[in-house]
Amino acid sequence: MPESAQTTARQLLQGNEAVVHGALAAGCRFFAGYPITPASEIAEHLSVLLPAVDGTFIQMEDEIASIGAVIGASLAGVKAMTATSGPGFSLMQENLGFACVAEVPCVIVNVMRGGPSTGLPTSPAQGDVQMARWGTHGDHPVVVLAVSSVLDSFSITVKAFNIAEKYRVPVILLSDEVVAHTREAVQLPPQNEIKVVDRIRPSMPPDWYKPYEGDNRGVPPMAAFGDGYRHHVTGLIHDEHGYPTQNRKEIESFHERMARKISRGFPDIQMTRGFHTRDAEVLVIAYGSVARSALRAVEDARSKGLKAGLLQLITLFPFPRSTVTPLLKQCRAVLVPEMNMGQISREVQRVNQCDCRIVKHNRVDGQFITPMEITRDLLKL
Amino acid sequence: MVIPAQTLRHSFLRHNKKFPHVWCPGCGNGIVMAALLRAIYRLDVSKDDIVLASGIGCSGRMPTYLDFNTLHTTHGRALTFATGVKLARPSLNVVAIMGDGDATAIGGNHFIHAARRNLNLTAIIINNSIYGMTGGQYSPTTPFGARSTTSVYGHIEHDFSIAELAVTAGASFVARATVYHAELMDRLIEQAMRKRGFAVVEVISNCHVQYGRRNKLGGAVEMIRRFKEQAVTVSRAKRMSAEELEGKITIGVLKDRELPISTEEYKKVRQRARASRGGKV
Ligand SMILES: Cc1ncc(C[n+]2csc(CCOP(=O)(O)OP(=O)(O)O)c2C)c(N)n1
Ligand code: SF4
Ligand SMILES: [Mg+2]
């Protein structure tokens, strides 16, 4: 049985377990999911821990139902999440779009495995990156975070909930088979050192409440069902009252606010970590478990006299352009290793305004990218 | 007790929602809405404590007009959202409104599992035997031989009974009415909402625009009159043979049983979890 979240002693945890502790520390009290490797441990541990903190766990009939229940719980005022892998994430897409449009905070963990379809159960992969960005239909901003270690799986899960609550968005947390199943010794921070953000609730009298009128950040205060602020929630494009609209101006202002609330939050949402970037002449851009190999490779290359650096992306979307672009200016070449055919390298290419040479390193054979492979490529740059 | 329509309008319709509604004149959806409101009026629960969830379809538009906590979800998924709401806040009175296609085609899996799971929820299914909103394609309750825009040569599949499906899947309470039997309907909805456990009310309704017209069943009045003629009460149906019941609609309470409710059971799970190692949080 897993240890509780508040244990601050050094402990050996799996990535999936750390997600569980992060979620609990962030105040998550509802989980609905459907079993799938390599994500099932998240459900299993939460089924043990949630009821002990007056939370709720439920195993639904499929992933569509799981995210539906998560959205329902969040609308009733409870922080909620689900966890799955590629096939289940595919099924969730329609309701994920609902959470975007209806601005329902929630966290969706996708522990990536090889795809497409049933794919490679359960070899590591990063094939769902662009799907996380564009998988649900329609045009809308989305927040996608990636974890690279067990400790990240804790702290970035907390951050995922905080972003979800602060901006009223679903946040997609990408883990991968390597991070999820690797055990590392970690020391979790005590609860009182963890910053937890809760959604802003309306303070005005119910008669004044417009459920979809943004505050100065573009984020509407969120009443829970049962709080006395009766309102309408729909997947149809709606006006400030939440009622369906066909009015051109109202439709436009809806989309504008959806985009604005995220773009105003860029400095807060876009998280990266730089290693040896200050004097770097060549750079690796990596995320997820591959960032671990990349760090080792960069250090190896440095020991061989190459001024190499690593930019680890924690936020994949909104793509952290303001951090990436200056580094592209600074470096003569950038290597982007990924366990896919090049899903983030195309984003790097997109923000490359200065003819920096961008080199891909891709693996889709179900094998992890090793530090040696990356060092070898780095030395050729 | 007759509740004046004006009382219902003033008590339950949203004053800041622009009418008119989207439904065709004579549509059965309005009759179901009024019955639901009469039931809620008699239940005398605060509007703040009622959540009305729906899926997508003509029926799915109902919550938009009503002054409760309302949730217009995705096609077929109303019960999944309702499940999350109810589990997160069990004190809320949660009702899901669905169409026949919504509840039993795309949402069929959720429907049977919601019944099996037996949360304390109410499900109202407006069964008009057709996909009304998308223009009259066949649904799981379109009868054999019927015409629809996707079965112009006659439908070759068989319909199933939504209420019987609910009974088999394990619902605590299952009832059926037609839109002709408006007063029976509101009593059944009231009973369903009072029932502790998953409660289903199937309402046989008219979509004269998309279904009646193509099957030469006349307009709203003719269709509703036919429901009156086809209806037999549960007690009468018990004395009839299968042949005699052919083409009839059994109305009334089909099932009413006491089963453990999962929200109640989950309270025990919480106690057990606290008492065990998982409780050391
Ligand atoms: C995933 C998805 N598929 C298809 C549709 C299109 N669609 C909207 S309503 C509907 C059928 C509605 O029929 P029913 O549930 O019987 O409701 P009614 O309109 O008859 O009340 C369909 C297929 C949709 N909105 N979403
Ligand atoms: S199409 Fe049919 S179900 Fe839809 S509003 Fe018109 S009559 Fe009612
Ligand atoms: Mg229908």
Side-chain angles (χ1 to χ4, degrees), chain A residues 64-91:
Chain A
I64 302 173
S66 302
I67 183 168
V70 161
I71 294 169
S74 184
L75 288 168
V78 175
K79 291 187 188 178
M81 79 173 223
T82 183
T84 186
S85 188
F89 192 51
S90 289
L91 288 182

Side-chain angles (χ1 to χ4, degrees), chain B residues 22-24 27 29 58 128 132-133 206-210:
Chain B
V22 298
W23 296 324
C24 308
C27 176
N29 286 341
C58 297
N128 54 15
M133 176 151 270
N206 62 299
C207 174
H208 47 292
V209 175
Q210 299 295 358

